Amino acid sequence: MDSYRCTVCGYIYNPAFGDSAHGVKPNTAFEDLPADWKCPRCGAPKSRFVKA
């Protein structure tokens, strides 16, 4: 699974860790994140992420 980087703040979404603060379990692919998921650091939408 690929990691993705927020183009606004540089946060890296690593699927191995997920995003427990927002209910995303480890090993959740970026593509499988909910459409309304936002960057936990700056709040940017999923569309502002690129493959890291």
Side-chain angles (χ1 to χ4, degrees):
M1 286 188 276
D2 295 315
S3 294
Y4 282 75
R5 177 180 55 82
C6 177
T7 60
V8 176
C9 72
Y11 169 83
I12 302 287
Y13 173 76
N14 184 334
F17 300 117
D19 179 13
S20 61
H22 297 97
V24 178
K25 295 181 181 197
N27 299 312
T28 300
F30 184 81
E31 296 82 3
D32 295 334
L33 291 171
D36 62 350
W37 181 84
K38 296 189 184 324
C39 176
R41 186 182 292 163
C42 73
K46 211 174 145 179
S47 62
R48 297 302 300 265
F49 280 72
V50 295
K51 254 186 208 181

